[in-house]
Amino acid sequence: MSKQRQQPEKTTHTCCDVGVLMDPAFFKALCDPNRIALLDRLAQCPEPCTVTELCCCCDVDFSVVSRHLALLRDAGICHAVKRGKQVHYSVNYTDLAARLRAMADAIDACCPSGTGECNDVHTNKPE
Amino acid sequence: MSKQRQQPEKTTHTCCDVGVLMDPAFFKALCDPNRIALLDRLAQCPEPCTVTELCCCCDVDFSVVSRHLALLRDAGICHAVKRGKQVHYSVNYTDLAARLRAMADAIDACCPSGTGECNDVHTNKPE
DNA sequence: TGCTCATATGCGTCACTATGCAACTATACC
DNA sequence: GGTATAGTTGCATAGTGACGCATATGAGCA
């Protein structure tokens, strides 16, 4: 796929998408070092991991790991499947990559050259 | 190494890039609604904005806006240029989009199909 | 020089978040 | 049913971040 720079042919992002796509809640889920460590660990595992397996990747209590994973799950970044008494966590890679790429596209579509020239300028002066 | 399935020809991201590229500090800079509002406002402006101009886009004290902008600047997301007694802020669009796209690429390169199959598995057990 | 405007910074406060421990729930196995 | 294992949740605490106010800095102008 050759989307990027001098605007995408298919994606039709505009300036206004920047504020919509860049969701603070999404970033909040990713702004903790331990959560990134968990995602990193999950990314390196060929198959979903249990909470116990993930515990070794960050030096915090076991309950804390559980909570971080629940947060990532609630943010739509992870996926949890209960199998017996274990819960297997995995990353929604497709969705996560798509969200990040959509933001990049929106930014590119807005000011692709970085010259300060916007493609979709609507300087809404509030009040 | 035989990473790669149907992913980008040029980018050579691997699993290990996920943890490196996904910097918590970067996400921390973006996890505040007011900062996103500021970025959104900047994205909609054809040219760099002053602190005063940006103040109207979020309902907080003026000193707070200044602080948010300084934080975005320190995170490498914004750029500040002093002109006379005003400081003009602009977004490093190119860099911001590149960082987001690099993350998306790294994730795709790792588990592009979302099947749970990794291309580059190196389960590094930390200590 | 003194004043004003634009912005940055010090400081105290409040709210939220991460954390660890303990208690709880749920499942599997005896 | 009783026990062990896996994970979640309640609670208290410490740390961090956002905020507003007051003040400082720095540039332009009379």
Side-chain angles (χ1 to χ4, degrees):
Chain A
M1 39 173 92
S2 62
K3 69 173 72 70
Q4 76 238 64
R5 278 29 266 308
Q6 60 271 12
Q7 20 298 30
E9 317 72 60
K10 355 111 127 321
T11 50
T12 55
H13 292 295
T14 63
C15 270
C16 51
D17 288 335
V18 173
V20 176
L21 291 168
M22 308 265 286
D23 180 17
F26 172 72
F27 292 120
K28 191 157 283 184
L30 296 172
C31 76
D32 184 88
N34 283 327
R35 286 197 286 274
I36 293 296
L38 288 168
L39 285 180
D40 188 30
R41 181 80 165 84
L42 281 168
Q44 292 177 5
C45 285
E47 48 200 33
C49 297
T50 66
V51 179
T52 310
E53 285 166 345
L54 290 166
C55 267
C56 61
C57 79
C58 41
D59 192 28
V60 290
D61 191 81
F62 168 48
S63 64
V64 174
V65 172
S66 172
R67 245 183 278 253
H68 280 309
L69 288 167
L71 195 151
L72 288 169
R73 183 197 59 209
D74 293 345
I77 294 167
C78 279
H79 184 62
V81 176
K82 184 152 192 166
R83 265 186 257 166
K85 50 183 175 178
Q86 294 177 317
V87 178
H88 292 253
Y89 282 90
S90 56
V91 183
N92 291 339
Y93 295 106
T94 319
D95 184 56
L96 182 55
R99 281 173 89 164
L100 290 167
R101 192 166 281 116
M103 293 178 206
D105 287 345
I107 292 164
D108 275 346
C110 179
C111 292
S113 55
T115 56
E117 262 194 73
C118 277
N119 302 325
D120 181 16
V121 185
H122 36 149
T123 335
N124 59 333
K125 290 235 185 255
E127 67 274 340
Chain B
M1 40 169 85
S2 61
K3 67 176 73 70
Q4 226 107 334
R5 331 193 64 175
Q6 59 267 28
Q7 65 262 47
E9 317 70 60
K10 29 226 241 101
T11 51
T12 54
H13 291 295
T14 64
C15 268
C16 52
D17 289 336
V18 172
V20 176
L21 291 169
M22 308 265 288
D23 179 18
F26 172 72
F27 292 120
K28 193 158 284 186
L30 295 171
C31 76
D32 183 86
N34 283 327
R35 285 197 286 274
I36 294 296
L38 288 169
L39 285 180
D40 189 30
R41 182 80 164 84
L42 282 167
Q44 293 176 4
C45 286
E47 49 200 33
C49 296
T50 66
V51 179
T52 310
E53 285 167 345
L54 290 166
C55 267
C56 60
C57 81
C58 41
D59 192 28
V60 291
D61 191 80
F62 165 42
S63 65
V64 176
V65 172
S66 173
R67 245 182 280 253
H68 279 311
L69 289 167
L71 194 150
L72 288 169
R73 183 198 59 210
D74 293 344
I77 295 166
C78 279
H79 184 63
V81 176
K82 185 151 191 165
R83 264 186 257 166
K85 50 183 175 178
Q86 294 177 319
V87 178
H88 293 252
Y89 282 91
S90 55
V91 183
N92 290 340
Y93 295 106
T94 319
D95 184 56
L96 181 56
R99 281 173 90 163
L100 290 166
R101 190 165 284 115
M103 293 178 204
D105 287 345
I107 292 164
D108 275 346
C110 179
C111 292
S113 54
T115 57
E117 260 195 76
C118 276
N119 301 323
D120 183 14
V121 184
H122 37 148
T123 334
N124 63 330
K125 292 233 185 257
E127 63 277 337

